[in-house]
Amino acid sequence: MSIQYLRIKGGTPLQGEISVSGSKNAALPLICATLLTDQECILKNVPDIADIQTLLKIVKFLGSEFTFENNTLTIRTEKILKKPIPHEYVKGLRASILLLAPILVRNGRVQLSYPGGCPIGKRPIESHLHGFKKLGAHISQKNDLITLTSDPSLIGAEIVFPEASVTATENILIASCTAKGNSNLKIASFEPHVQDLCKMLNKMGAKIRGFQSPFIHVQSVKKLHGVTHSVTSDYLEVGTLAAAAAVTRGEVRIKKTPVDQLDILWQKFEEAGVPFKLDGNSVTILPYRHKLKPITKLKTGVFPAFPTDLQAPFTVLLTQAKGVSKVFETMFEGRLGYLFELEKMGAKIEILNANQALIIGPTKLRGLPIASCDLRAGAAMVVAALCAKGVTEISNINYIDRGYENLDVKLKKLGADIERFQV
Ligand code: EPZ
């Protein structure tokens, strides 16, 4: 298998305009939700990234027919074939767990091996199984196979999740729309991608209310129909590109920005002293000459707190702040690993424990060969390389390609000295 890597020469302030792609974490559940109906569904603004291609390979295997061109997916699943999904398909994609709901609803039975995903920590599925059990599904687990059955059908219920889980909320939303009886989800996630899923399900005929809060009401309906829906922009890509613009002290306008999904990022930019301008659905990061200010505590949490998926890219910025910032990653115990790579580049970091670290700045970063250990850590390495003096080579960029559409092409358009190589 060929190895791809990025070579970046840092120090160039990014300049210009760029549009972000559709959200990976919205497109994945939306595609799974289209399996609920045998009618045609059209999804626009779908990012053409590795995770989407992997999911499309799985749904094709299950009998979906689709075309996917120019970020538009036209898909129809007349019936879902009753055959086990190959282990290697599921292993490569955490979001494959979102297939449990539509297959169970359509076929009354589903079997799936435990999902894969980034090595950022334990990825529990208890919240998923808890929700399905409450809806009356029978669950059996043998080796690493999960089997759910629902005879004759799922029953609406009051579901209090053991903790807020994005994909568990999405699975139970998909499963409960046509259950017999209404459902109330409590301690539900309501990240922008969960909200986008609810909007599309409602356009398919579902009756979901309260999805801008942890208390979501699902009124039972008989059947769902086809839909045309445009995937919400990727607020995580906005945050990543904004951090890249800020760390290079450039001037970049990011279009198709869902401004209202990033209140906490604008607050942290203000705290750090990054100048920016919001107008309509774009943000412009402005150039500056002053030293950035440290962030007392960059604490991640469930929406609307600071997104865990932006923690790594944003922390690179903190290496340039004058003073000590504290990073508190509350969600994943393995999501600070990239700090060791940052240290190699010259950052001054004190790891307090698996979830907390102090970033002492400002420090000059210097380019050198580094590896990306997960999707968002890989993006953070790109941000660091853009800031570093000299050339950085980033390997394992397959992680980055899982979640960012043409990140290197977008950065090159903004003037970055970045090349993709294949050996
Ligand atoms: C989704 O994963 C996302 N993936 C992840 O994005 C994201 O990091 C995560 O939500 C959190 O926002 C997709 O949407 C496909 P969880 P999921 O069940 O559903 C702990 C990326 O980079 N937790 O919401 O698997 C919990 O125990 C990927 O795009 C708390 O600690 O995640 C679990 O370990 C990576 N406290 C972790 O967070 C809480 O209050 C994630 O939980 C709630 C959860």
Side-chain angles (χ1 to χ4, degrees):
M1 177 173 119
S2 67
I3 307 278
Q4 293 203 38
Y5 65 96
L6 292 176
R7 179 179 291 157
I8 299 170
K9 188 170 180 310
T12 313
L14 298 184
Q15 302 284 343
E17 288 194 346
I18 198 77
S19 287
V20 289
S21 301
S23 160
K24 162 181 89 81
N25 289 348
L28 292 166
L30 292 174
I31 291 170
C32 293
T34 66
L35 271 61
L36 283 171
T37 176
D38 56 6
Q39 295 182 8
E40 181 177 88
C41 298
I42 300 173
L43 292 187
K44 296 178 176 163
N45 200 34
V46 177
D48 188 356
I49 53 179
D51 271 12
I52 294 293
Q53 292 296 346
T54 304
L55 182 59
L56 289 176
K57 201 162 62 173
I58 299 174
V59 299
K60 184 173 183 173
F61 175 84
L62 291 172
S64 298
E65 291 177 352
F66 60 82
T67 59
F68 181 36
E69 279 136 23
N70 305 322
N71 300 107
T72 295
L73 174 70
T74 303
I75 183 167
R76 182 182 197 127
T77 311
E78 301 227 2
K79 64 180 179 352
I80 300 177
L81 303 175
K82 296 180 179 176
K83 53 183 188 176
I85 301 169
H87 187 76
E88 64 275 13
Y89 283 6
V90 176
K91 271 300 168 213
L93 181 69
R94 164 84 188 162
S96 53
I97 196 161
L98 291 167
L99 289 163
L100 288 175
I103 301 173
L104 181 61
V105 169
R106 289 286 295 273
N107 291 352
R109 182 180 186 280
V110 58
Q111 191 168 69
L112 202 66
S113 40
Y114 272 90
C118 295
I120 51 180
K122 201 168 64 70
R123 307 297 295 272
I125 67 161
E126 282 73 19
S127 295
H128 295 253
L129 302 182
H130 171 83
F132 281 115
K133 200 163 171 199
K134 286 284 183 188
L135 289 177
H138 308 286
I139 299 167
S140 67
Q141 299 175 71
K142 193 157 163 280
N143 305 331
D144 82 337
L145 263 185
I146 314 163
T147 307
L148 303 181
T149 52
S150 62
D151 47 354
S153 78
L154 295 172
I155 317 284
E158 176 108 345
I159 300 163
V160 181
F161 286 101
E163 65 178 3
S165 163
V166 169
T167 47
T169 301
E170 291 165 345
N171 240 336
I172 299 311
L173 283 166
I174 293 172
S176 58
C177 289
T178 56
K180 294 235 172 321
N182 303 338
S183 296
N184 282 311
L185 280 56
K186 295 183 174 178
I187 312 187
S189 295
F190 57 106
E191 271 68 3
H193 27 291
V194 179
Q195 295 186 36
D196 204 34
L197 173 64
C198 292
K199 287 172 188 163
M200 190 185 86
L201 286 169
N202 282 344
K203 284 159 75 172
M204 293 174 75
K207 289 188 174 20
I208 305 172
R209 289 195 325 272
F211 51 83
Q212 289 174 322
S213 84
F215 305 102
I216 304 179
H217 178 76
V218 182
Q219 184 182 327
S220 171
V221 295
K222 285 256 172 308
K223 214 168 150 56
L224 299 182
H225 50 72
V227 66
T228 296
H229 181 78
S230 187
V231 180
T232 184
S233 285
D234 193 332
Y235 72 126
L236 298 173
E237 186 183 7
V238 172
T240 306
L241 290 172
V247 86
T248 60
R249 296 171 178 261
E251 178 159 356
V252 174
R253 181 163 181 250
I254 305 172
K255 298 183 290 184
K256 295 171 71 179
T257 289
V259 168
D260 62 333
Q261 295 176 14
L262 284 159
D263 291 339
I264 190 66
L265 179 67
W266 314 136
Q267 189 276 324
K268 291 301 170 213
F269 272 159
E270 262 170 41
E271 203 177 321
V274 173
F276 64 93
K277 197 172 64 191
L278 299 177
D279 63 323
N281 66 350
S282 77
V283 58
T284 303
I285 305 298
L286 299 165
Y288 59 95
R289 304 181 66 80
H290 55 267
K291 283 255 180 290
L292 293 178
K293 293 175 284 182
I295 300 274
T296 321
K297 183 161 43 166
L298 181 75
K299 184 175 176 185
T300 64
V302 296
F303 190 78
F306 197 88
T308 173
D309 298 335
L310 279 183
Q311 178 260 113
F314 192 90
T315 297
V316 175
L317 200 54
L318 299 179
T319 66
Q320 305 307 302
K322 186 172 185 324
V324 182
S325 301
K326 181 174 195 177
V327 174
F328 188 2
E329 169 55 67
T330 69
M331 309 277 278
F332 290 102
E333 66 280 7
R335 209 162 205 182
L336 294 184
Y338 72 97
L339 293 176
F340 294 109
E341 300 291 316
L342 271 190
E343 274 187 317
K344 285 186 213 162
M345 296 177 80
K348 203 162 170 335
I349 292 166
E350 198 183 320
I351 307 261
L352 303 175
N353 54 50
N355 298 83
Q356 297 182 65
L358 299 179
I359 316 294
I360 302 103
T363 52
K364 288 208 176 322
L365 302 183
R366 58 184 177 283
L368 82 173
I370 47 175
S372 53
C373 47
D374 75 66
L375 162 56
R376 306 300 172 180
M381 294 302 107
V382 172
V383 175
L386 292 167
C387 169
K389 196 167 162 23
V391 174
T392 302
E393 289 186 354
I394 303 173
S395 54
N396 291 359
I397 58 169
N398 53 308
Y399 276 119
I400 300 173
D401 291 338
R402 281 188 49 194
Y404 290 92
E405 186 180 43
N406 301 324
L407 182 61
D408 50 324
V409 175
K410 286 172 174 153
L411 290 170
K412 202 176 177 74
K413 184 165 177 274
L414 295 172
D417 183 345
I418 182 170
E419 291 300 331
R420 177 186 285 257
F421 288 89
Q422 189 154 329
V423 288

